[in-house]
Amino acid sequence: MIAKTHIAFASLLMVGCSVGILGRMPHIYEVAIAGAAGLLPDLDHPKSTLGRIVPYISIPLAKLFGHRGITHSLLMVGLVIWFLLTHPGEREWPVLPLVIGYLSHILGDLLTPSGVPLLWPVRKKFSLNLFKANGPMENLIFLACWAGVLYFIWVAMHRPGETWLQPLRESLWQWGQAQVIYSSGRLAEWVVTLVRALA
C-alpha cells in the first residue's frame, strides 16, 4: 500500500474499533494518531513519507534490516505493545490508536504481492496477493476506507440500532466467508513453508 491508503485504512480500523467494539465515538486525536502510526513500519525505507522526515532513523534501519523486515513483523507489534505498556512516562501513551495504526500497516501490506515477514526473523514473506500497490484496486480501497469511516461515524451519531447494523453484519459475514475460502489454500502453503523453515 502507499502512504495515503495506509492512513485511510488505519483511520477506518480506529473508527470501526471505537464504534463497533467500544461503543463510543473516537476522539479526533485518536484517529489522527492511528493514521500517523499507520506509516510507522515504513521507517525502514528512507524514501517513505516518514523516512524522509527522520532519515537519521530510517537510513540505519534500512541498512540493518532492509525494507519490510523486522518493522513489518508480529515481533515488532509485540515490542511496540510492550514498550507502550511498560514505559508510560509522565502521561500515558495512546496505546490503542498506536497499536491499531501500526498493525493496520502490516495488514495492508499483507494484501499486496510483496507481502510481509510476519514471523521475522524467519524471512519468508506472507501475502494474500489481493491487489497491486498503487494500482486501480488500491484507489478504490482508499475511497472505500473513507466511506467506511463516514459510515461508522454516521452510525454512532444517529444511533440507528440493530436495523441499520444488520445489513452491514450480513455483508461482512459474506465477505468473510469468501475470504476464508480464498485464503485456505494460501494458509496451507504458509504452514508447510513454516515447517520447512523451522526444520
Side-chain angles (χ1 to χ4, degrees):
M1 280 185 174
I2 60 176
K4 70 174 187 177
T5 315
H6 278 304
I7 293 172
F9 189 42
S11 300
L12 172 62
L13 292 185
M14 183 66 239
V15 175
C17 239
S18 292
V19 175
I21 298 175
L22 302 180
R24 66 170 177 82
M25 277 286 286
H27 298 289
I28 293 176
Y29 78 86
E30 291 178 313
V31 180
I33 289 172
L39 301 177
L40 282 175
D42 275 347
L43 272 174
D44 62 3
H45 193 327
K47 293 185 179 179
S48 67
T49 301
L50 285 184
R52 291 193 298 267
I53 296 172
V54 286
Y56 46 87
I57 295 175
S58 184
I59 291 173
L61 270 178
K63 289 182 177 179
L64 283 173
F65 304 107
H67 182 43
R68 291 195 181 183
I70 186 174
T71 62
H72 287 67
S73 69
L74 295 177
L75 172 62
M76 183 56 76
V77 174
L79 290 174
V80 168
I81 295 172
W82 171 81
F83 177 84
L84 293 175
L85 294 179
T86 57
H87 296 77
E90 295 181 2
R91 299 182 64 181
E92 290 188 4
W93 293 95
V95 177
L96 187 62
L98 286 170
V99 173
I100 285 177
Y102 200 101
L103 190 57
S104 75
H105 184 109
I106 296 174
L107 292 174
D109 282 349
L110 180 68
L111 303 178
T112 66
S114 298
V116 288
L118 289 176
L119 302 176
W120 194 95
V122 176
R123 295 192 179 276
K124 162 69 180 175
K125 289 190 176 181
F126 300 90
S127 168
L128 291 177
N129 196 20
L130 296 181
F131 61 90
K132 292 182 179 180
N134 204 20
M137 183 58 71
E138 180 166 349
N139 291 328
L140 289 176
I141 290 171
F142 170 77
L143 295 174
C145 285
W146 288 120
V149 167
L150 293 175
Y151 175 80
F152 278 112
I153 292 174
W154 179 78
V155 167
M157 291 180 66
H158 292 80
R159 305 189 183 283
E162 292 296 319
T163 304
W164 293 102
L165 288 175
Q166 189 59 31
L168 175 62
R169 288 176 177 163
E170 290 177 0
S171 297
L172 288 175
W173 176 252
Q174 292 171 359
W175 177 84
Q177 286 180 316
Q179 294 307 310
V180 167
I181 293 171
Y182 174 82
S183 302
S184 59
R186 290 191 174 276
L187 182 58
E189 292 175 8
W190 291 355
V191 172
V192 171
T193 302
L194 177 61
V195 170
R196 288 177 179 171
L198 296 177

